[in-house]
Structures are given as C-alpha cells and as structure tokens.
Amino acid sequence: MIEKEFKLINEQIELLKSRNLKFLNESICEKNLYTYGYYEIVNGYKFFLLDETITKERNEDWYKEDSYFEQIFARFILDKKIRNSILDATLEIECSLRSAIAYVIARNFGHKENDYLIKTHYNKGKATKDDYGNVKFYKIDQIFEKFTNILNDDVQPIKHYRDIHGNVPPWILLKGATFGNLVNFLKLQKADLKNEILSIMSGREKNDFNNNEQLKSFYIDMIFLIHKFRNRAAHTGRMYNYSPKESEVSYFREFHEEMGISRNAYSTSTRGKSDLATLYYGIEKFANFNAHFQLDFSLNWNISEHLKEFPDDEKMLLSGMGFDDNFKIKDYSKK
C-alpha cells in the first residue's frame, strides 16, 4: 500500500508538472490550492484530462498533451455552482416538507404538545434489538427523544413558546428538526396522514395516493433521494456524477417514461435511479415551483456558460449526470 505523504503547495505544483500538466498562472493556482485544497480540485476533476493509456502504463496519473490546471479548476468551479443550486433547491423541498407535516399533524391532532406528541398516533417503525433478540426501542422512540431535546432547548423561538405560551406547537417544534428527522418522521406517519402530507407536497389530490401505492412510493423515494443530495451538497461533495445507490427511486411508469426510460431500460442501466437527472426531473413533480426553477435555471445557466469555453466537456458532463443524448442544455443568456 502506497502511503500518501503531505506536500507543500509548491511541491504539489511540481508534482502536477511532472505528470505533464501545464499552468497559465502559477500564482493564481497557488492561491486556489490554498483556498480549496489539492484533493478537492485535482482528485475530483482530473479524469477529464488524463491520458488513460499512459496513466495505466506508468501506474500514475499522466495528463494529455496541452492540458492545463485551469481546465481542472474550471470544472471544479462548475461543480461548486451545481452544488449550490442543488442546495438551494433541496432546501426548498425541506421547507415544504416541514410545513406540510406540521400542518397535517396540527389539523388532525391539534397544536398542543400533550395532544400531538402521543406515540400511538404514529407507526412504531423499525425495532432495534439487543443481543438476545429483545426489543430495546423503535424508530418512533428515537424521533420522540429528538423532539424532547428540541422542546428543552434554549434556542429561539422554542424557548419563547415554551416559557411565554406554555406550549410548543408542531410548526415551531419542527423548526428544530433536521431534514433527516423530517424524512424519518414522514415514514412513520400512518397511511391517511402520509397521503395527506404527500398530497400537499405534490399538489395532487389525496385520493390519488389512497389507491396508488406506486405513486406513494415514488414520492417517498424522491424525498429520500432529495435528502441524500442535500446532505452531499452541504458537505461539499462532488455533485455532477453523484448517484447514491442506497436511495434509488423504484421504477414508476408515469415518471420514467417522461425521462425516456422503459421498464427494460431501467433494469439494464443506471439511469433514472439516483443520478442528478433523476433529481432534476423528480423535483419538478413537487408543488414547490421555486425548487425546480432554481435547479433548472442555475444548472442550465452554469453548464451553458462553461461549455462556451469548454465545449468538449458536454458529453462527459451530461452522461455523468444521467441525462440521455436527447437532453439539450438551455442557454438562458439568449432569453
């Protein structure tokens, strides 16, 4: 196993030069490496420029002729902009989910803690067992423990409602819940309430969900996928080819045929499951218009601007995101 040793910035630059990478401005490159780090810039986006044959022969990175650090950095900056657009869009969905859950709970159980914070209102969820097979606690117990911590927190507006009003209603309580808490709490809702929440989130009739388990599963899957992308973006991970296998969206004909993906194509490829294209088309299915508008505008604007300077990147970028050959980048600068 080859150990990765620490290198000073000037040593990092010399290493890249020794691997056939050129620089237009080493001074600016040095500042960028200090600001963002070698790993974030180079290791995340070098693949566009590597000579695969020579790299394999040498057993170390070797860049194509006339490859520049500035090209790698431009791809890093594009992905950073994509990340920010994903973060904005997924925050919109998080806000909508928080609002919908709070509304439905208050409507069905009231706004008093003693009325809506009753475990039997909700499903137990998965059980955690000890080494002897005895149940230690259920998922709902974990969620309620989190809610108890929020209720006892001294941050505002929790403290104000607790101390001044003597009660924390669900729309205030859930302000202290993370996106992950909300997603798990949604999963623990009983069927009727879950359908009501999904109706608000989607803008569709509640009856659409009452008799269509596939439709319900699609929206639940999408919310879990949105949560995964939100977390990835919040932790500055690479976004353009991110595809979390543990959060795949099951095949849903109404949705996937709009993406040009048949059931057979879904089974034999990776498209339409958990890639950025699935997120892009999936967010459009929610009632929150701002979520899709922000993602659509920012994604298309930033990619089109990047392609004006690096047109050869188009196929690799779109393929990495999960878009097919028929997808056309919108140039909003002409509108």
Side-chain angles (χ1 to χ4, degrees):
M1 183 180 295
I2 300 175
E3 185 178 353
K4 295 290 186 180
E5 297 179 353
F6 169 78
K7 292 185 183 297
L8 299 171
I9 295 296
N10 65 302
E11 292 175 327
Q12 295 173 11
I13 292 174
E14 291 305 314
L15 176 65
L16 292 170
K17 285 181 178 179
S18 74
R19 294 175 174 177
N20 206 36
L21 191 66
K22 299 178 180 179
F23 297 82
L24 293 175
N25 190 316
E26 286 189 29
S27 178
I28 294 177
C29 160
E30 184 177 305
K31 290 178 182 178
N32 288 331
L33 287 170
Y34 271 121
T35 302
Y36 299 109
Y38 182 99
Y39 181 86
E40 294 297 323
I41 299 172
V42 178
N43 285 23
Y45 308 93
K46 63 186 178 182
F47 305 102
F48 289 80
L49 299 179
L50 289 180
D51 186 313
E52 295 181 5
T53 301
I54 300 179
T55 293
K56 188 174 182 180
E57 290 174 355
R58 295 170 63 97
N59 197 30
E60 67 174 13
D61 293 343
W62 187 261
Y63 293 90
K64 300 172 185 176
E65 291 301 317
D66 296 320
S67 294
Y68 287 85
F69 175 85
E70 286 76 9
Q71 292 173 279
I72 297 176
F73 188 69
R75 294 172 178 94
F76 165 77
I77 291 298
L78 171 62
D79 200 57
K80 184 170 177 284
K81 292 175 179 177
I82 291 172
R83 183 185 308 123
N84 289 339
S85 67
I86 289 172
L87 192 57
D88 286 343
T90 54
L91 279 172
E92 286 287 331
I93 298 298
E94 178 183 350
C95 288
S96 295
L97 181 60
R98 179 175 286 107
S99 176
I101 293 176
Y103 178 86
V104 170
I105 287 175
R107 180 178 179 274
N108 284 273
F109 306 128
H111 68 283
K112 297 286 188 181
E113 295 168 35
N114 291 338
D115 293 330
Y116 73 84
L117 287 180
I118 297 175
K119 290 181 182 179
T120 53
H121 288 331
Y122 314 100
N123 291 321
K124 291 181 179 179
K126 186 178 179 180
T128 297
K129 299 181 180 180
D130 61 23
D131 295 338
Y132 301 99
N134 301 310
V135 174
K136 295 173 63 179
F137 55 83
Y138 291 94
K139 193 68 178 178
I140 191 63
D141 298 316
Q142 290 180 299
I143 293 291
F144 268 58
E145 183 180 0
K146 172 64 178 177
F147 290 164
T148 299
N149 292 336
I150 294 172
L151 290 172
N152 293 323
D153 207 336
D154 283 335
V155 300
Q156 300 294 359
I158 305 293
K159 188 177 188 304
H160 171 81
Y161 274 82
R162 183 183 67 234
D163 295 347
I164 304 302
H165 301 287
N167 177 69
V168 179
W171 57 88
I172 299 299
L173 171 71
L174 293 183
K175 288 178 70 66
T178 65
F179 198 175
N181 297 149
L182 295 172
V183 168
N184 286 316
F185 195 36
L186 169 65
K187 197 171 182 180
L188 295 175
Q189 301 301 314
K190 293 185 177 178
D192 194 56
L193 269 68
K194 187 180 293 184
N195 292 344
E196 194 173 340
I197 292 167
L198 294 178
S199 173
I200 294 171
M201 290 289 294
S202 65
R204 301 177 68 137
E205 294 294 326
K206 182 181 174 182
N207 284 338
D208 291 347
F209 295 94
N210 290 340
N211 304 306
N212 192 333
E213 286 300 317
Q214 276 198 320
L215 179 65
K216 186 188 301 186
S217 295
F218 166 73
Y219 276 98
I220 295 292
D221 286 351
M222 275 307 311
I223 290 170
F224 269 85
L225 182 63
I226 289 167
H227 174 238
K228 280 290 183 182
F229 268 89
R230 155 66 196 285
N231 280 355
R232 176 78 167 191
H235 291 89
T236 67
R238 186 174 62 199
M239 301 306 307
Y240 86 93
N241 62 349
Y242 179 58
S243 185
K245 304 302 180 186
E246 68 277 13
S247 297
E248 292 185 347
V249 176
S250 300
Y251 185 78
F252 180 48
R253 182 176 177 181
E254 178 185 317
F255 172 71
H256 284 92
E257 286 192 350
E258 288 184 16
M259 289 186 68
I261 301 173
S262 66
R263 181 177 289 278
N264 183 60
Y266 177 90
S267 301
T268 57
S269 74
T270 58
R271 288 188 59 238
K273 295 177 180 176
S274 59
D275 49 33
L276 181 49
T278 306
L279 178 78
Y280 176 83
Y281 288 114
I283 278 185
E284 190 177 16
K285 300 302 180 183
F286 288 83
N288 188 327
F289 170 79
N290 287 331
H292 183 258
F293 174 78
Q294 289 177 357
L295 185 59
D296 176 64
F297 181 84
S298 183
L299 192 69
N300 282 281
W301 173 277
N302 288 307
I303 292 176
S304 64
E305 290 298 300
H306 177 85
L307 293 179
K308 289 174 183 177
E309 189 172 357
F310 305 102
D312 292 342
D313 286 358
E314 182 171 10
K315 185 174 182 180
M316 187 174 290
L317 278 171
L318 296 183
S319 174
M321 294 175 186
F323 292 105
D324 63 15
D325 294 337
N326 296 319
F327 183 80
K328 302 299 180 185
I329 293 294
K330 305 169 190 174
D331 187 354
Y332 281 114
S333 66
K334 295 180 180 179
K335 297 185 179 182

